[in-house]
Amino acid sequence: MNAALHHAQALLATGRPEQALTELSTLPANEVTGSYAMQLRCAALSQLDRWTEVGDATRAGLAANGPDPDLLLWLGRSEHEAGRDPMAERVLLDGLALAPHDVDLLCAYADLCAANGQLDKAGKLVDLAAARAPQAPVVYATRIQLAHARGDDREAQRISREFVGVHPENPVAHALLGSTSAARGQVDAAYEGFRQAAAARPTEQIFAESAMELRVARHPLMLPLRPILRFGALKTWLVAVGLIIGLRAVGLPVLAGLLGFVWLAFCVYSWVVPPLVRKWVLRGWR
Amino acid sequence: MHDDLFSPTIREQPAPGRPPWRPESIVYPAFFGGPLAAATLGVLNGRRLALPTGHLLAIAGAGLAGFAARAVVEGFTDGNSPTRLAGTVTGLLVWLVVLSLQRRPFRVVALRGHGPARLLGPGFAAAIGCGLLEAILLVVLVR
């Protein structure tokens, strides 16, 4: 492979998409539209969220190289980002017709189906991908997203743990473990996940921002809310209401009334304080 | 073997309407406002999530059943506090119905990259408005 391509690939892997684009622009004209150069270009543009340009680049690449599953993958993703899902589906199916076992294409199609509420089909697609490459990062990420969409937070966190175990160097794995832990109210584990993700890839703004959000959740004023975060609002409330009823039943109405009042104050606190703490912590940061 | 997996199934989605509220957040107005507040917000949110009519009816029915249960408690006990407690408990039960029907569709909407709408204003309005409505109805119907 060309040295410029190597360099661009290394820059991308360390989260420096703009420098990778600069590097790619130094390629001679006949290599710019090559399939691999185009894929790197699309990956860089997607990291910068410039999806329209991803679409333009893949169309140019397809015109120059003819049908190519890897470029069709990027075109499908960019159509999905643009909200043209039926078109994205057609493009991804074209890609899968050329490469029926391509793990990235299968996962991209699963993502698309999940985003359209077709969770069962998405599950079958990702199972096919998992049968091919059970330990590919994209397979883990798609399975986690699917479990989350199903509302199965425990399973999502379990797969994230496995992902981190297999790919301890992958910042996305840590970030996913962070967000799935956050969904289960495990604030410290969530913070740790995003902290490691941000440490592994300091250029990724969203990792740092999520770590900062979790610093809000770890603020001392938020400590009283830990039970709600950890056990969920419902269980905490059931315990409190059960206690209040129980105290009344055993003939302690004053204590029950007191507890009821404390509980009401706690509920108001849980509603009012988090936004204030958030404002306070983030102002110190920006 | 996987032919059905590789045939197109995605149809044009209607343009996104108003963003939904986070179903988990409806617990607050449900707690303070009672079953009717929970059901009102649940039905409005269900429309934003484009739930099938059967689900919307289930939420509305759960709200009415919750209110009926509260009226029964009011009729058979003395004093305010059992009725208040019944309002909270039935409100939470209605919220559970809302959550069970809306969690998945909400997460699918979130997958499409749309953030939730703010519930603060409508939540307060529903909690206060429906709470007062229930209080008045209880006075008129039961006493």
Side-chain angles (χ1 to χ4, degrees):
Chain A
M1 201 196 310
N2 181 312
L5 285 180
H6 255 304
H7 197 194
Q9 188 185 25
L11 286 166
L12 262 181
T14 50
R16 294 184 181 76
E18 272 170 22
Q19 281 134 290
L21 283 178
T22 316
E23 190 67 36
L24 286 171
S25 67
T26 62
L27 285 172
N30 61 332
E31 286 179 33
V32 170
T33 52
S35 172
Y36 194 66
M38 274 297 179
Q39 287 173 50
L40 287 178
R41 189 175 159 73
C42 291
L45 289 168
S46 75
Q47 281 189 18
L48 295 165
D49 237 358
R50 285 154 59 178
W51 284 99
T52 328
E53 291 169 66
V54 174
D56 297 341
T58 47
R59 279 187 205 93
L62 286 166
N65 303 304
D68 175 322
D70 296 312
L71 290 178
L72 287 168
L73 167 72
W74 281 107
L75 183 57
R77 284 179 178 161
S78 79
E79 289 295 309
H80 179 34
E81 284 291 325
R84 294 186 289 269
D85 286 359
M87 187 62 195
E89 180 178 47
R90 205 177 318 157
V91 171
L92 291 175
L93 285 175
D94 285 349
L96 283 167
L98 295 173
H101 303 299
D102 187 298
V103 171
D104 290 300
L105 277 168
L106 286 168
C107 288
Y109 191 30
D111 265 342
L112 183 70
C113 290
N116 281 275
Q118 300 177 7
L119 299 179
D120 293 335
K121 180 169 176 178
K124 285 180 195 156
L125 286 164
V126 84
D127 285 348
L128 281 183
R132 279 278 136 184
Q135 299 197 327
V138 66
V139 172
Y140 278 119
T142 313
R143 282 172 64 204
I144 292 164
Q145 196 164 32
L146 209 53
H148 176 77
R150 287 200 183 107
D152 193 349
D153 292 339
R154 192 183 295 260
E155 173 73 358
Q157 193 190 31
R158 192 191 63 73
I159 306 171
S160 308
R161 285 222 184 85
E162 199 184 318
F163 188 6
V164 167
V166 176
H167 298 281
E169 77 301 332
N170 190 321
V172 176
H174 288 285
L176 283 171
L177 182 56
S179 63
T180 53
S181 301
R184 298 197 64 203
Q186 297 171 0
V187 176
D188 294 321
Y191 176 71
E192 192 50 29
F194 279 114
R195 195 191 60 73
Q196 293 210 30
R201 192 176 284 173
T203 50
E204 185 75 59
Q205 189 74 9
I206 197 157
F207 294 164
E209 273 174 17
S210 303
M212 198 40 97
E213 288 288 343
L214 283 155
R215 272 185 68 175
V216 174
R218 295 175 99 209
H219 192 274
L221 278 174
M222 302 287 280
L223 263 182
L225 304 181
R226 280 291 173 95
I228 289 191
L229 289 175
R230 180 64 188 81
F231 302 110
L234 185 73
K235 281 181 204 152
T236 320
W237 272 349
L238 282 180
V239 168
V241 172
L243 273 178
I244 293 171
I245 295 175
L247 282 175
R248 197 189 300 270
V250 298
L252 294 166
V254 178
L255 214 55
L258 202 66
L259 185 63
F261 181 76
V262 169
W263 179 240
L264 190 73
F266 178 73
C267 289
V268 174
Y269 185 94
S270 77
W271 214 1
V272 173
V273 170
L276 293 178
V277 170
R278 190 172 176 280
K279 208 166 262 181
W280 180 252
V281 171
L282 294 191
R283 188 169 54 190
W285 180 47
R286 274 173 188 145
Chain B
M1 178 177 128
H2 299 297
D3 280 350
D4 52 331
L5 273 188
F6 294 112
S7 53
T9 48
I10 290 170
R11 262 167 275 130
E12 198 68 56
Q13 296 265 339
R18 305 173 75 179
W21 299 305
R22 199 186 295 283
E24 285 84 355
S25 305
I26 296 178
V27 74
Y28 298 98
F31 179 83
F32 289 107
L36 292 188
T40 307
L41 291 172
V43 169
L44 289 176
N45 204 37
R47 288 171 54 102
R48 292 181 179 204
L49 288 166
L51 291 193
T53 316
H55 288 187
L56 295 181
L57 286 176
I59 294 170
L64 290 177
F67 177 69
R70 201 183 169 196
V72 169
V73 170
E74 165 84 6
F76 285 92
T77 55
D78 297 324
N80 261 334
S81 97
T83 318
R84 204 171 333 116
L85 190 62
T88 302
V89 171
T90 51
L92 288 180
L93 290 176
V94 175
W95 167 71
L96 274 185
V97 174
V98 172
L99 189 65
S100 68
L101 293 175
Q102 300 190 349
R103 189 171 195 166
R104 260 195 189 200
F106 177 79
R107 290 204 166 173
V108 168
V109 168
L111 264 191
R112 297 184 67 82
H114 306 301
R118 280 172 67 88
L119 183 61
L120 199 59
F124 264 113
I128 295 171
C130 295
L132 281 177
L133 176 69
E134 283 192 26
I136 293 168
L137 282 176
L138 284 175
V139 168
V140 174
L141 292 176
V142 181
R143 290 225 168 118

